[in-house]
Amino acid sequence: MTLPLIKNFVNGEWIDSTSTTTGDVWNPATGEKIATVPYGNSEDVNKAVQAAKDAFWEWRATPPLTRARYLFRLKDAFEENFEEIARVLTTEQGKVIDEARGEVRRMIENIEHATGVTTMMTGYTLEDIAKDIDCYGHRQPLGVFAAIVPYNFPGMVAWWFLPYALVTGNTYIVKPSEQVPMTQTKIFEIVEEVGFPEGVVNMVHGSRDVVNGLLDHPDIKGISFVGSTPTAKYIYQRCGETGKRVQSLGGAKNVVTIMPDADIDQAMPSLITSFFGCAGQRCLSGSILAPVGSVIDEVREKFIAAAKAMKIGNGLDESVAMGPVGSAPHKEKILGYINKGIEEGAELLLDGRDCKVDEYPNGYFVGPTVFDKVKPEMSICSDEIFGPVVSMVNPQNLDEVVELVNSRNYANASCIYTQSGAVAREFKYKAHPSMIGVNIGIAAPMSFFPFGGYGNSFFGDIKGHGREVFQFFTDMKVVIERWF
Ligand code: NAD
């Protein structure tokens, strides 16, 4: 059987990459090849940038409300195709179908927020800044922007940026992860139906060569990147060298704290989804479980029981609680970390290494895995594993919690479960991560608040979505005016 060959979307048309290098796309639940993706090159990038550049001036001169109307139509079209997008997403990424639906919903919420452009893009003005002189600033789009995105959210992440770039009058290029190119392809079929002017929105598939082509191109004004910390640092440095705007979101190692006064039964469902949702492959996944003092005994017992009860399988099956991890190499990496945790002396309470799903013997399944007696200096407590592996530590008080959280290499998100407002306040005040949950396991800001971390989890200053992203995609032009 010939597998579908993924195409680029440039200047309103589906075209083949000029590269002959390709990769395979796999269904992680079945271990079957499902498509072939081109590993594009700088020629592909140049075509897309030229199309986006040619489209810019007319799109920029289109009234903001008219630009927003394209997004209203797109929202309706996404609603109509909601379930289909979610199913493609689960098929190539592995997450359970309900999570895929949640991802599509978050994608649409960014479109909804971006339609507020006529309020969000306005500038400000002051008369008489000196005798007979007035001053005003208005926000102008800059040209061609691009997004480079990761495999764990094949649909949503590009849409943390794209709607805002378009609605402010820029033109755009998306570079999906080569591991999961099919979801964005499905999404762009819908984009095509909505009928944006040619060249306004484009997609180029590939890996490093496409990324470098975007970074090197003088007509790209800015890059939004989401992925692992080493790549995020590379993107940030290269954008500095080539003078591009950049927002570069990296990896995570999130600590979830349970204070002794927390209601454990109430917390348990959100703890389980925090650690095992998306098979631990979220930048907001819990990775370190930190029950404080003697509450560890109750948390350990209930957490292990709930983890054991999870049904593992193909995410398209509605009864499944956790799907496979994203790829065969990634499964090996996770198993390597489990072995390392044992070597480092942590106690393996729940071992997911031999997880088998009878109907899918070739799927990349790793079962829920829980280590106890983990020390902060162990690699399983410092490195981003990005799988369903939990490192349990036992701080004795809030000071030790804050020390643990702030000494990790990353500072993306952190959560605390407590009934004390004073404890929660101290935690919010002192912990470094930028996204904080209080009695919430996955502190995922919605589209109208900024998404992004601190330290090695984020490089730049304006984060994903939220109000500030309208600034990332515009330049404030200040006019100082005097008339005689
Ligand atoms: P990744 O860094 O391997 O890849 C991300 C993108 O960069 C892909 O499009 C890929 O093609 C490209 N890329 C990879 N290596 C490159 C290189 N050497 N040079 C140029 N381009 C390169 O990340 P991933 O494995 O796809 O995604 C998982 C990572 O993303 C995890 O670390 C996770 O924490 C992070 N993530 C972070 C957030 C956040 O909001 N901070 C959200 C989602 C995922």
Side-chain angles (χ1 to χ4, degrees):
M1 198 183 77
T2 318
L3 295 173
L5 174 66
I6 303 286
K7 288 181 186 288
N8 293 335
F9 186 75
V10 174
N11 209 23
E13 286 182 358
W14 293 97
I15 60 169
D16 285 322
S17 166
T18 53
S19 162
T20 49
T21 314
T22 58
D24 296 320
V25 184
W26 302 85
N27 177 332
T30 63
E32 289 165 340
K33 273 186 210 173
I34 49 175
T36 304
V37 63
Y39 283 1
N41 53 28
S42 52
E43 205 182 320
D44 296 333
V45 172
N46 293 346
K47 276 187 199 167
V49 177
Q50 191 59 51
K53 196 180 168 193
D54 291 347
F56 173 65
W57 278 100
E58 203 174 324
W59 182 245
R60 180 228 187 289
T62 303
L65 193 55
T66 307
R67 293 195 297 254
R69 287 188 186 121
Y70 283 90
L71 295 187
F72 284 121
R73 291 209 290 279
L74 196 55
K75 172 200 153 50
D76 287 346
F78 282 158
E79 297 285 3
E80 278 162 29
N81 292 274
F82 191 98
E83 188 63 17
E84 211 182 326
I85 303 171
R87 293 187 83 78
V88 176
L89 202 161
T90 290
T91 304
E92 68 172 354
Q93 201 283 334
K95 66 180 68 176
V96 299
I97 185 71
D98 226 31
E99 288 187 61
R101 291 180 188 126
E103 181 174 343
V104 179
R105 178 54 56 209
R106 289 260 160 160
M107 189 178 100
I108 293 173
E109 284 164 0
N110 277 283
I111 296 173
E112 291 169 327
H113 181 222
T115 58
V117 62
T118 48
T119 307
M120 302 306 290
M121 197 179 163
T122 49
Y124 51 89
T125 175
L126 188 66
E127 282 184 335
D128 297 320
I129 58 160
K131 177 86 179 108
D132 291 337
I133 298 180
D134 303 328
C135 185
Y136 56 90
H138 46 217
R139 298 210 154 271
Q140 298 188 331
L142 290 159
V144 186
F145 280 79
I148 301 162
V149 294
Y151 82 91
N152 62 331
F153 283 94
M156 171 186 78
V157 167
W159 293 79
W160 285 354
F161 314 107
L162 188 156
Y164 306 100
L166 291 192
V167 85
T168 50
N170 302 282
T171 53
Y172 214 66
I173 301 171
V174 175
K175 204 297 281 175
S177 162
E178 62 276 32
Q179 199 175 314
V180 288
M182 298 173 75
T183 308
Q184 216 55 244
T185 299
K186 175 73 214 159
I187 288 168
F188 267 65
E189 284 167 12
I190 302 161
V191 168
E192 183 189 17
E193 276 170 31
V194 164
F196 284 85
E198 287 167 7
V200 165
V201 53
N202 307 275
M203 174 168 59
V204 180
H205 290 282
S207 60
R208 290 172 194 203
D209 289 349
V210 171
V211 172
N212 288 325
L214 292 167
L215 294 173
D216 289 338
H217 204 298
D219 289 325
I220 298 271
K221 302 297 179 197
I223 298 276
S224 301
F225 173 83
V226 182
S228 62
T229 289
T231 325
K233 270 188 184 165
Y234 170 73
I235 302 281
Y236 189 63
Q237 282 164 355
R238 293 294 314 280
C239 286
E241 281 162 18
T242 54
K244 297 187 195 320
R245 287 193 176 191
V246 60
Q247 42 185 187
S248 198
L249 286 71
K253 189 76 183 171
N254 305 319
V255 180
V256 176
T257 300
I258 323 287
M259 295 303 288
D261 66 346
D263 182 331
I264 309 301
D265 292 324
Q266 201 178 53
M268 203 46 65
S270 70
L271 286 178
I272 289 293
T273 49
S274 169
F275 283 90
F276 302 122
C278 201
Q281 301 162 106
R282 290 183 188 137
C283 68
L284 294 179
S285 288
S287 182
I288 300 170
L289 180 58
V292 173
S294 60
V295 79
I296 191 168
D297 295 328
E298 185 185 351
V299 171
R300 187 193 295 111
E301 187 193 325
K302 291 182 172 167
F303 187 76
I304 299 268
K308 275 185 179 165
M310 292 180 79
K311 181 175 172 187
I312 318 295
N314 186 334
L316 288 176
D317 175 346
E318 302 273 355
S319 68
V320 160
M322 186 170 85
V325 299
S327 69
H330 190 53
K331 176 176 172 175
E332 287 312 308
K333 179 182 162 190
I334 295 166
L335 297 186
Y337 268 111
I338 300 175
N339 293 334
K340 209 162 175 195
I342 298 167
E343 282 163 27
E344 286 176 327
E347 188 181 334
L348 187 58
L349 296 183
L350 189 60
D351 183 356
R353 286 176 296 177
D354 279 330
C355 178
K356 299 261 183 303
V357 177
D358 290 343
E359 293 158 272
Y360 303 106
N362 301 320
Y364 317 136
F365 296 101
V366 180
T369 299
V370 182
F371 279 106
D372 198 3
K373 304 202 170 25
V374 174
K375 300 278 170 263
E377 59 279 9
M378 293 178 181
S379 63
I380 54 169
C381 200
S382 341
D383 298 358
E384 182 182 42
I385 301 173
F386 219 52
V389 181
V390 182
S391 295
M392 202 152 49
V393 296
N394 189 209
Q396 294 305 302
N397 52 48
L398 190 62
D399 287 344
E400 286 187 26
V401 168
V402 171
E403 164 63 21
L404 173 78
V405 170
N406 290 351
S407 61
R408 298 307 87 198
N409 284 329
Y410 303 91
N412 208 41
S414 197
C415 307
I416 190 162
Y417 288 81
T418 179
Q419 297 192 50
S420 160
V423 166
R425 183 180 190 276
E426 192 175 339
F427 181 74
K428 289 179 283 183
Y429 199 82
K430 291 183 173 170
H432 288 161
S434 313
M435 295 179 276
I436 296 288
V438 178
N439 298 317
I440 300 274
I442 308 151
M446 289 183 73
S447 58
F448 24 95
F449 283 90
F451 194 113
Y454 171 81
N456 277 327
S457 293
F458 177 69
F459 305 92
D461 41 24
I462 296 181
K463 299 179 178 179
H465 54 66
R467 293 179 193 176
E468 296 81 356
V469 82
F470 289 88
Q471 293 174 26
F472 183 76
F473 290 113
T474 52
D475 185 50
M476 179 66 111
K477 182 164 283 183
V478 176
V479 179
I480 303 166
E481 208 171 63
R482 179 181 192 185
W483 294 92
F484 298 96

